[in-house]
């Protein structure tokens, strides 16, 4: 892949894109092991009994490159195999990973490894959402070219990812700021342009009157001032590019019902879109009988009654009164503050050809509307305005004796029911390209213009003769020119490159100018999931066959902050590509996993609100105080942030605990959708450390037992030991069933780890004869290693290697000759699935175990039958007879009944 700097033409020196080993953060990987440290089994064939700090380092050092190479070696797509596409939202290359990154990518890595072990063809791609304002700010503040800054950050973060042992499909890497990617972003823009879904109109922007430049929202402080000049920011109208996302509102709203549960995100999407009951129609504006260049889209809740329109309402805040419209003076002159004002401007409905007056209304509209069609037949407030201003209107709705309503006085649509007329009228408007798309009163079209340099150039040329002309497809990409000076002042930096701005019109060949706005970075990320399916295609955005095979994304993982806008825009592009027959799937994402935040404590001065570093705080007392002044502090839990001094450096964590411990901690500390409170979960770090040591000890015990000189023989087990072996077998199957469900259904990795811990505890209780002679014990331990592997691949790989080379194995069904990550995910034994004749029911009284009762299998799920059988049993007669039972609870899944009795 060519460097960012080379492709945009800048002279700045960039870092080499080739990786040079792993991060220095895990320095022990590069050191020679001291003579006092015993090497691990994979190096010497001699098993190390204890899993201490040095052993852990040696294990991860040995397996790290091998595991990475194994997973990332991808063959050609085999469309005959089942696939699994796991995707975590790609990051902005800020230059440094934080714990939020570690959490989301650990989850995706675990899922990818698990699905691969299930036999799936898996991709877990990674790339960079590389355009954006921070790079341009760095250019202004530090003199770094945005390309150099971005390239350097990508290099650093790529090495950080590698140091965490994450199994990304790097050969599918994409970078949105490279021309080979944004060429196809521009291609899709032109397709939208052809479809009439892209348009220009005036819109408000944040204007810095001192620096004479447009500011992004994040460049305006809480006081409404410019972050750089300090000037009070003004609102100014500029011509901006929009994508008509409202054209897909109804389709996207309806498609939500076909998606699986998205843990409240579907509701957020539905709320963002709103109820799609109305639509907009296009109008041409006239003044003094003369047609102007102004075209206006106006909304109505009752499109079927459009022939009854009497007037068109705009608000006093409308752009026509404040922007650069030729009608601004007319509207301002005729507007009477505090009153509905009938103007001399009229609007011609392009569907019905009816001409109606424009009214400036003082009554606020619903949600984000600023233009509305007045239809007195269907809305009382419209009728009131018409009567007050003396505007005549026609009734167009007739109620029939049977209660049904039909439209009248509506041309060819007269006589239709309201529903029939709604469908016919909106379809005719869509066919003519003059509106008709059902949408809500709260959804606005997507403003994509950015007056920035570091973004995808909008592929449009402005010609005085031909107007707005799209760049021909064969001339794509429109590559960003080299800009050497960034001041943050004045017009877009692109304006300073006349040899790029000035060009020839593609149609008439006369002098013309390029569009100098660039696209919102949300456009780049709205289709990246499709490019991953075919990232090196130079002929089109992606091959449809490959997209149809890999899509939809089976599991999409990311933060809740992207659950509305990014998800909406991504769904919009997917629907649009489907309509172009580029893909067969409308919806891009099947399951969605929205992970919680990782929070840490913050400490603020009550007097100033200033955030303090930990070294500025005195923790010796009952509550923390400022070290210098003794002032009490506000202590809260907040998202980790550099500016709040509560971040945890992932590199330091990995160096201290190792990769596997950090991964297990992230997965075990909380369900993925819940927040992790860092300090409150330190016990989880120690807990997963101890658990790794315990499982290692289990492997040690088995290896030592099998090398003791005594040949294993299951026939030497007595009846009690065989019963214990049977229980281990049952527990193994139960844990396989539950852990598999946790991995596939709700991705409750914390619960999965908890169940694996319980299995390891059962194995710890096994006596030596069972360890030596039981095939069930050996199988359960091997199965435990396999199920640990997706979450802690390094220790699992070493333990498996030790088991695989153990002599006198009793289990032959495992593929001992290959590494643990190449094992098939365990399946429940068929015999376990056969219903037993009886079920051993645990009996609790007031939450305390008091024994077990055997009940017939067919009765074990029936509360009344189990209740009666327990009462009639010897245990029931002894413990429950004569006592008042307040309540009883049956859990068929765990074969447990709990009686609450009066003491």
């Amino acid at each position: 892949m060519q460097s960012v700097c080379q492709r945009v033409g800048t002279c700045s020196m960039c870092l080499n894109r080739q990786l040079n080993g792993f991060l220095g953060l895990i320095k022990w990987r590069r050191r020679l092991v001291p003579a006092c440290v015993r090497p691990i089994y994979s190096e010497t064939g001699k098993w190390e009994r204890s899993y201490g700090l040095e052993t852990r380092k040696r294990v991860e050092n040995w397996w790290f490159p091998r595991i990475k190479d194994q997973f990332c070696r991808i063959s050609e797509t085999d469309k005959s195999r089942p696939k699994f596409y796991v995707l975590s939202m790609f990051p902005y290359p800020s230059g440094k990973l934080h714990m939020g990154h570690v959490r989301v990518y650990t989850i995706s890595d675990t899922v990818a490894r698990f699905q691969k072990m299930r036999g799936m063809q898996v991709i877990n791609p990674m790339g960079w959402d590389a355009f954006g304002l921070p790079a341009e700010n760095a250019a202004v503040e530090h003199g770094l070219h945005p390309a150099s800054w971005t390239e350097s950050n990508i290099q650093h973060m790529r090495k950080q990812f590698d140091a965490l042992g994450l199994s990304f499909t790097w050969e599918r890497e994409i970078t949105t700021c490279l021309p080979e990617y944004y060429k196809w972003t521009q291609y899709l823009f032109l397709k939208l342009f052809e479809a009439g879904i892209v348009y220009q109109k005036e819109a408000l922007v944040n204007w810095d009157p001192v620096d004479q430049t447009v500011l992004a929202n994040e460049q305006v402080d809480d006081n409404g001032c410019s972050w750089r000049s300090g000037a009070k920011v003004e609102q100014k109208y500029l011509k901006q590019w929009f994508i008509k996302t409202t054209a897909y509102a109804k389709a996207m709203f309806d498609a939500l019902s076909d998606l699986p549960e998205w843990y409240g995100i579907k509701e957020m999407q539905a709320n963002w879109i709103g109820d799609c009951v109305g639509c907009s129609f296009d109008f041409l504006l006239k003044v003094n009988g003369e047609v102007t260049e102004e075209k206006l889209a106006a909304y109505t809740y009752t499109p079927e009654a459009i022939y009854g329109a009497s007037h068109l309402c705009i608000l006093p805040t409308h752009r026509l009164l404040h922007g650069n419209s030729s009608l601004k003076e007319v509207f301002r002159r005729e507007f009477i503050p505090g009153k509905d004002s009938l103007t001399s401007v009229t609007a011609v409905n392009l569907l019905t050809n009816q001409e109606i007056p424009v009214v400036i209304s003082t009554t606020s509209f619903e949600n984000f509307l600023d233009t509305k069609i007045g239809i007195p037949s269907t809305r009382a407030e419209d009728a009131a305005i018409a009567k007050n201003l003396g505007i005549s209107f026609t009734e167009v709705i007739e109620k029939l004796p049977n209660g049904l309503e039909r439209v009248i006085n509506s041309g060819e649509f007269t006589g239709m029911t309201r529903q029939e007329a709604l469908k016919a009228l909106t379809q005719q408007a869509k066919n003519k390209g003059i509106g008709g798309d059902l949408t809500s009163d709260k959804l606005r079209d997507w403003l994509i213009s950015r007056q920035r340099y570091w973004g995808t150039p909008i592929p449009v040329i402005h010609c005085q003769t031909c107007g707005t002309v799209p760049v021909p497809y064969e001339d794509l990409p429109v590559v960003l020119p080299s800009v050497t000076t960034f001041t943050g002042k004045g017009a877009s930096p692109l304006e300073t490159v006349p040899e790029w701005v000035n060009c020839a019109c593609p149609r008439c060949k006369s002098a013309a100018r390029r569009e100098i706005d660039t696209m919102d970075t949300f456009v780049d990320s709205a289709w990246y999931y499709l490019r991953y399916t075919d990232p090196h295609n130079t002929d089109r955005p992606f091959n449809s066959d490959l997209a149809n095979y890999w899509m939809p994304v089976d599991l999409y993982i990311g933060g809740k902050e992207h659950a509305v806008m990014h998800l909406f825009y991504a769904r919009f592009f997917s629907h649009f590509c489907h309509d172009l027959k580029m893909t067969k799937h409308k919806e891009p994402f099947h399951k969605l996993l929205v992970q919680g935040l990782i929070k840490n404590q913050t400490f603020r001065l009550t007097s100033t609100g200033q955030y303090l570093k930990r070294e500025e705080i005195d923790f010796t007392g009952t509550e923390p105080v400022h070290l210098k002044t003794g002032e009490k502090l506000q202590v809260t839990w907040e998202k980790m942030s550099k500016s709040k001094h509560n971040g945890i450096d992932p590199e330091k964590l990995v160096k201290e605990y190792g990769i596997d411990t950090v991964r297990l901690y992230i997965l075990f500390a909380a369900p993925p959708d819940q927040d992790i409170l860092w300090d409150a979960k330190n016990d989880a770090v120690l807990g997963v450390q101890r658990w790794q040591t315990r499982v290692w000890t289990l492997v040690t015990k088995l290896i030592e037992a099998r090398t003791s000189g005594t040949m294993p023989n299951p026939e030497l087990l007595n009846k009690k030991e065989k019963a214990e072996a049977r229980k281990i077998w049952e527990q193994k199957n139960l844990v396989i069933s539950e852990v598999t469900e946790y991995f596939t259904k709700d991705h409750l990795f914390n619960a999965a780890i908890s169940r694996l811990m319980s299995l390891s505890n059962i194995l710890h209780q096994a006596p030596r004869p069972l360890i030596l002679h039981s095939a069930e014990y050996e199988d359960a331990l091997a199965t435990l290693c396999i199920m640990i592997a997706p979450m802690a691949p390094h220790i699992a790989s070493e333990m498996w290697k030790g088991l695989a080379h153990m002599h006198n194995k009793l289990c032959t069904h495992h593929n001992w000759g290959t590494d643990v990550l190449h094992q098939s995910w365990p399946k429940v034994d068929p015999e376990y699935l056969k219903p037993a004749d009886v079920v051993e029911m645990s009996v609790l009284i007031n939450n305390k175990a008091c024994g077990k009762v055997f009940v017939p299998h067919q009765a074990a799920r029936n509360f009344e039958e189990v209740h009666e059988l327990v009462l009639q049993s010897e245990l029931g007669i002894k413990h429950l007879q004569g006592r008042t039972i307040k309540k009883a609870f049956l859990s068929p899944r765990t074969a447990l009944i709990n009686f609450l009795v009066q003491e």
Side-chain angles (χ1 to χ4, degrees):
M1 185 183 292
Q2 290 176 287
S3 76
V4 177
C5 301
Q6 288 172 319
R7 300 295 281 134
V8 299
T10 175
C11 299
S12 303
M13 292 295 292
C14 293
L15 298 175
N16 192 310
R17 287 305 298 269
Q18 299 300 315
L19 297 177
N20 295 311
F22 307 115
L23 270 187
L25 68 98
I26 311 178
K27 294 180 180 176
W28 42 265
R29 287 187 180 149
R30 294 178 178 166
R31 295 178 188 155
L32 290 173
V33 181
C36 61
V37 178
R38 285 181 290 184
I40 60 170
Y41 180 85
S42 292
E43 294 175 303
T44 67
K46 183 180 179 182
W47 184 258
E48 172 60 44
R49 294 190 80 253
S50 63
Y51 191 68
L53 176 65
E54 290 301 332
T55 303
R56 183 259 294 167
K57 289 179 178 179
R58 296 290 294 169
V59 166
E60 293 190 358
N61 181 39
W62 175 269
W63 285 105
F64 180 86
R66 291 164 175 80
I67 289 172
K68 182 175 179 294
D69 290 345
Q70 286 172 5
F71 195 93
C72 295
R73 211 177 288 131
I74 304 295
S75 58
E76 288 293 313
T77 299
D78 180 0
K79 296 176 188 169
S80 66
R81 289 177 57 195
K83 64 88 182 180
F84 196 91
Y85 183 176
V86 56
L87 179 61
S88 42
M89 294 178 184
F90 65 169
Y92 179 77
S94 60
K96 196 168 182 65
L97 289 181
H98 53 69
M99 289 305 296
H101 287 130
V102 176
R103 189 179 195 190
V104 66
Y105 299 130
T106 297
I107 291 171
S108 70
D109 180 87
T110 299
V111 171
R113 295 186 190 278
F114 164 72
Q115 292 294 348
K116 191 171 184 182
M117 293 172 79
R118 295 184 83 205
M120 298 290 190
Q121 186 168 215
V122 176
I123 56 171
N124 179 26
M126 176 48 64
W128 311 96
D129 192 8
F131 274 135
L133 191 59
E136 211 157 326
N137 291 341
V140 174
E141 294 170 16
H142 308 298
L144 293 171
H145 192 280
S148 299
W149 187 83
T150 302
E151 174 79 6
S152 176
N153 287 351
I154 287 174
Q155 288 289 342
H156 186 66
M157 290 180 73
R158 172 83 185 260
K159 290 178 181 179
Q160 287 182 303
F161 276 136
D162 281 342
L164 289 166
L166 299 168
S167 60
F168 293 121
T169 318
W170 281 113
E171 66 180 31
R172 293 179 181 268
E173 181 182 14
I174 59 174
T175 305
T176 61
C177 67
L178 292 178
E180 49 261 45
Y181 182 86
Y182 68 70
K183 170 183 180 177
W184 302 113
T185 304
Q186 293 171 339
Y187 173 95
L188 291 170
F189 177 93
L190 294 181
K191 289 295 182 184
L192 290 163
F193 188 92
E194 288 175 3
I197 297 178
V198 167
Y199 65 94
Q200 264 189 309
K201 74 171 184 179
E202 284 190 328
L204 283 173
V205 296
N206 300 313
W207 180 256
D208 184 330
V210 173
D211 285 346
Q212 292 288 296
T213 191
V214 174
L215 301 175
N217 288 334
E218 56 266 37
Q219 292 178 307
V220 181
D221 66 22
D222 293 340
N223 298 315
C225 296
S226 168
W227 72 310
R228 185 175 288 113
S229 72
K232 197 71 175 176
V233 172
E234 300 171 357
Q235 296 291 295
K236 183 176 181 178
Y237 277 92
L238 288 180
K239 211 162 191 184
Q240 306 275 282
W241 284 97
F242 288 81
I243 294 177
K244 195 187 293 183
T245 49
T246 51
Y248 279 80
K250 185 71 165 68
M252 291 172 66
F253 185 94
D254 292 345
L256 289 170
S257 62
D258 297 326
L259 293 171
E261 176 54 50
W262 276 7
Y263 305 100
I265 304 304
K266 284 207 298 187
E267 289 75 9
M268 292 169 68
Q269 283 280 300
N271 186 58
W272 177 264
I273 296 170
D275 293 328
C276 301
V277 295
C279 74
S280 292
F281 292 110
D282 289 346
F283 291 80
L284 279 178
L285 298 188
K286 296 170 68 174
V287 62
N288 299 324
E290 295 291 325
V291 175
T292 69
E293 294 181 353
E294 288 291 349
K295 188 177 175 182
L296 201 58
Y299 188 82
T300 175
Y301 293 95
T302 54
E304 70 278 11
I306 187 62
Y307 277 86
S310 63
H311 57 280
L312 190 150
C313 279
I314 63 174
L315 291 176
T317 55
H318 197 279
R319 65 176 179 84
L320 289 174
L321 280 78
H322 302 276
N324 301 303
S325 167
S326 59
L327 298 175
K328 180 165 73 172
E329 293 308 315
V330 175
F331 280 124
R332 284 190 164 188
R333 185 173 62 247
E334 297 180 354
F335 173 51
I336 305 171
K339 295 180 66 177
D340 293 332
S341 306
L342 180 63
T343 72
S344 59
V345 180
T346 57
V348 178
N349 187 322
L350 295 180
L351 180 67
T352 65
N353 291 320
Q354 292 173 308
E355 187 171 343
I356 55 178
V358 176
V359 172
I360 303 173
S361 174
T362 55
T363 304
S364 60
F365 300 161
E366 296 86 345
N367 291 312
F368 298 121
L369 295 179
D370 64 359
T371 312
K372 201 166 68 166
I373 304 170
I375 305 178
S377 291
T378 58
R379 293 181 75 88
E381 60 266 37
D382 295 342
I385 290 174
K387 288 175 181 175
N388 289 340
L389 296 176
I391 303 171
S392 61
F393 59 87
T394 304
E395 292 290 347
V396 291
I397 301 296
E398 180 184 48
K399 192 164 187 176
L400 301 176
N402 60 6
L404 291 176
E405 291 181 316
R406 67 179 182 184
V407 297
I408 57 174
N409 301 319
S410 299
E412 63 187 277
F413 306 98
T414 297
M416 292 184 181
T417 66
R418 291 187 68 168
Q419 193 59 37
E420 291 169 342
L422 172 68
K423 189 175 181 180
L425 277 157
T426 54
Q427 188 59 52
Q428 190 176 104
K430 285 191 281 187
N431 293 343
K432 292 181 177 181
I434 52 175
D437 297 299
L438 290 180
T439 185
S440 72
D441 59 11
K442 65 194 302 187
L443 185 67
R444 291 181 285 187
D445 285 335
W446 179 10
L447 192 162
I448 65 163
S449 283
R450 296 295 181 269
Q451 291 71 40
R452 297 280 171 266
Y453 168 76
W454 197 234
T456 297
I458 294 176
V460 161
I461 291 170
H462 301 285
C463 173
Q464 286 190 333
T465 304
C466 304
T468 301
V469 181
V471 171
Y473 287 104
E474 59 269 22
D475 291 345
L476 298 180
V478 178
V479 178
L480 282 171
S482 175
V483 173
T484 56
T485 304
F486 294 85
T487 65
K489 299 179 181 182
S492 164
L494 292 175
E495 189 82 85
T496 66
V497 192
E499 65 273 21
W500 183 85
V501 175
N502 298 319
C503 62
C505 171
R507 288 182 187 164
C508 70
K509 309 305 178 187
S510 60
R513 285 173 57 85
R514 292 191 187 280
E515 174 61 62
I516 60 169
D517 281 359
T518 54
M519 295 187 208
D520 177 10
T521 56
F522 273 115
V523 181
D524 305 307
S525 60
W527 74 280
Y528 80 115
Y529 51 88
L530 288 165
R531 184 66 176 174
Y532 277 140
T533 67
D534 190 18
H536 308 299
N537 197 322
T538 57
D539 298 323
R540 64 190 85 172
F542 49 86
N543 178 283
S544 292
D545 289 341
L546 286 171
N548 290 340
Y549 171 74
W550 285 112
M551 294 297 292
V553 173
D554 295 281
L555 180 64
Y556 195 35
I557 310 169
K560 200 168 188 175
E561 66 270 23
H562 300 299
V564 177
M565 285 199 299
H566 162 65
L567 206 57
F568 176 78
Y569 299 144
R571 293 181 62 226
F572 165 80
F573 260 88
S574 185
H575 277 248
F576 177 69
C577 288
H578 173 268
D579 283 358
L580 292 183
K581 298 189 170 18
M582 295 172 71
T583 61
K584 71 178 181 182
H585 301 285
K586 279 188 178 181
E587 287 294 328
F589 313 119
H590 179 60
K591 291 190 77 172
L592 185 70
L593 196 164
V594 177
Q595 97 279 0
L597 301 173
I598 298 185
K599 295 182 176 180
N600 202 355
Q601 285 182 314
T602 57
F603 303 90
R604 301 175 71 183
L605 290 171
T606 307
S607 56
T608 64
Q610 176 191 348
Y611 286 96
L612 298 180
K613 299 176 183 177
R614 294 189 76 87
E615 53 266 31
E616 298 175 306
I617 303 167
D618 181 1
F619 289 99
T620 58
T622 55
E623 54 185 338
V625 296
H626 190 201
L627 200 58
K628 285 185 178 179
T629 65
E631 181 183 341
K632 290 184 179 179
L633 305 176
Q634 292 179 351
V635 183
T636 52
W637 291 96
E638 296 187 69
K639 180 181 177 180
M640 288 187 181
S641 165
K642 184 178 179 182
S643 63
K644 296 175 182 176
H645 310 300
N646 70 334
I648 301 292
D649 187 350
E651 298 178 10
K652 291 181 180 177
L653 271 182
V654 169
K655 186 175 181 180
E656 183 177 355
Y657 296 112
I659 298 172
D660 285 339
T661 300
V662 171
R663 288 168 63 96
L664 287 169
Y665 164 74
I666 289 290
L667 298 171
F668 184 57
D673 60 319
Q674 293 182 16
D675 294 341
I676 294 176
L677 304 182
W678 186 264
D679 282 353
K681 288 295 181 181
N682 276 342
D683 58 325
V685 176
L686 298 175
V688 295
Q689 272 188 317
R690 287 193 297 267
W691 180 51
Q692 289 173 89
T693 302
R694 285 169 67 82
V695 178
W696 185 275
T697 302
L698 291 174
V699 175
T700 299
K701 285 182 178 179
L702 182 57
I703 291 174
E704 290 179 345
R706 295 295 171 83
T707 55
S708 64
T710 304
M711 288 293 291
N713 182 357
E715 295 303 318
L716 296 178
L717 296 173
N718 60 37
K719 186 177 180 181
K720 180 182 178 184
E721 290 163 345
K722 286 180 179 179
E724 289 177 357
R726 175 76 183 186
K727 288 181 180 178
I728 288 175
W729 175 82
E730 290 172 349
Q731 279 300 310
K732 179 208 73 170
N733 281 288
L734 176 61
V735 170
I736 290 172
S737 172
E738 293 181 339
V739 169
T740 303
E741 184 173 348
Y742 289 139
F743 265 72
T744 54
K745 189 177 180 183
D746 295 320
H747 308 288
L748 297 176
F749 305 108
N750 62 315
I753 292 171
S754 180
R755 293 301 290 125
L756 294 175
M757 287 177 171
S758 72
L759 179 58
S760 63
N761 289 340
I762 289 169
L763 294 177
H764 259 288
Q765 297 165 11
R768 179 174 168 76
L770 212 61
I771 298 172
L772 176 60
H773 297 299
S774 167
E776 291 85 354
Y777 181 95
E778 179 185 307
D779 184 31
L781 183 54
T783 300
L784 179 63
C785 287
I786 293 171
M787 290 193 288
I788 289 172
M791 298 180 285
H794 304 88
I795 186 175
S797 295
E798 181 65 14
M799 291 190 300
W800 183 262
K801 187 65 75 174
L803 292 175
H805 287 79
M806 178 181 67
H807 295 297
N808 307 316
K809 288 189 287 291
L810 297 173
C811 297
T812 58
H813 61 279
H814 292 296
N815 189 3
W816 295 108
T818 58
D819 291 336
V820 68
L821 288 168
H822 292 280
Q823 301 300 312
S824 295
W825 185 258
K827 291 184 173 67
V828 175
D829 294 321
E831 185 186 343
Y832 180 78
L833 297 173
K834 294 177 183 176
D837 294 332
V838 293
V839 173
E840 196 175 32
M841 186 71 61
S842 297
V843 179
L844 277 68
I845 297 177
N846 290 338
N847 301 311
K848 293 180 181 178
C850 68
K852 295 185 178 182
V853 171
F854 290 99
V855 300
H857 181 270
Q858 63 270 22
R861 305 187 72 85
N862 186 297
F863 172 78
E864 286 79 12
E865 290 188 47
V866 172
H867 187 276
E868 190 59 33
L869 287 167
V870 171
L871 291 180
Q872 293 176 5
S873 69
E874 185 178 334
L875 181 147
I877 293 170
K878 180 179 177 182
H879 294 286
L880 293 169
Q881 196 173 62
R883 303 179 72 180
T884 302
I885 299 172
K886 296 190 290 185
K887 211 163 193 178
F889 303 92
L890 173 68
S891 172
R893 188 179 67 84
T894 56
L896 178 150
I897 188 167
N898 186 11
F899 291 87
L900 300 182
V901 302
Q902 193 168 326
E903 294 291 353

